[in-house]
Amino acid sequence: MTSLALFQMMFGVALIGFTLFDAFVTILSLRGGGPATSFISQKLWRLALRFHQYKTSHRLLSASGPVLMILVVMFWYLLLYLGWFLVFQSVQGNVINGSTYTAATGLETLYFTGVTLSGLGYGDYTAEHFPWTIYSTLAVATGTLLTSVGLSYIIAVVPVALEKRQLARQINIVAGDSEQLLKRIDDQDNVEFIWQKLFEIQLDGTKFANKYSAYPVVAYFHTSSSDSAFSLAYLKASDLLFYLANHPNKELRPSASTVIALKNLMVSYAESLQHIVDDHADGESDQHERYRVYSSIEKVESELFTWQEFSSVRRVLVTTCLYDGW
């Protein structure tokens, strides 16, 4: 084997290893996307957002999440395909025609690689001798493995994306028009009802945040309806909960322990979104104007949960809304 052939084989093996590493980190590590997956997803989403800003189309943007998820799986498969092709093509004559027993050409080796990865095994082209027979078996194993984890990835992400929309609808059912609701929250029954319902949903949102961190591709599942947009709904709920925690009538405020728990929940959720904040350029002040807080909320404050503490969390939530295309 020449040095060039050895280099080609080693590069192919490295490509196979990197592909499997990226796929397993994305799917099984529960720490977010792998290096290649994160890079490609972020760049493609930024491109979709720029087009959305140029010509607003929530329907088109809502298709980006599923398309990105499928593209990621296809990207893994193409890298694996290329890696094994480089391995099989590194030495002439290791793949032969099953009928004529002549060495396969480059195009025929490419075909053999695809058939082998798919596990079909037509037998019209085969690996000639050891260790290439072992390599072809390994190729089948890696192809089957990648197909399995790719399907499990899609199956795992879809329920999280649906949960994201369901939580948004639950918040909007309770909160409705938050500006009008703020004017009516002036008696004990209203305060207790809204606090209890939104606080429970906030708890569910924190559980969801762990899944959100495990599968960052969920951030790209945009919804064409604002009523189903989780980023908008969570921001609305946070504003209302902060107002209730610091209600102008101190007798209507929740207990100190629940206010502290609320603050911890919000801070924890904001930290889970740090990857979005890091990826989004904060230079769109004109768009931030759409998310200006109501003056009645900005005026309330207590020692347990200050406006300065909430505003730092709120900046993350607003950035998430912008990153979500709203």
Side-chain angles (χ1 to χ4, degrees), residues 239-250:
D239 285 346
L240 288 171
L241 286 169
F242 177 75
Y243 178 82
L244 294 178
N246 300 281
H247 199 285
N249 184 348
K250 294 184 179 181

Side-chain angles (χ1 to χ4, degrees), residues 101-165:
Y101 299 100
T102 56
T105 64
L107 190 59
E108 290 169 340
T109 303
L110 185 66
Y111 162 77
F112 166 79
T113 304
V115 171
T116 302
L117 285 178
S118 66
L120 295 175
Y122 291 134
D124 46 355
Y125 291 92
T126 60
E128 169 64 1
H129 48 71
F130 184 86
W132 300 104
T133 50
I134 297 295
Y135 293 160
S136 63
T137 303
L138 286 175
V140 174
T142 55
T144 303
L145 183 62
L146 191 63
T147 301
S148 300
V149 295
L151 287 174
S152 67
Y153 179 60
I154 294 174
I155 292 171
V157 167
V158 171
V160 179
L162 290 175
E163 184 181 354
K164 179 182 177 182
R165 297 186 181 186

Side-chain angles (χ1 to χ4, degrees), residues 55 71 205 246:
K55 185 178 181 180
L71 284 177
N246 300 281

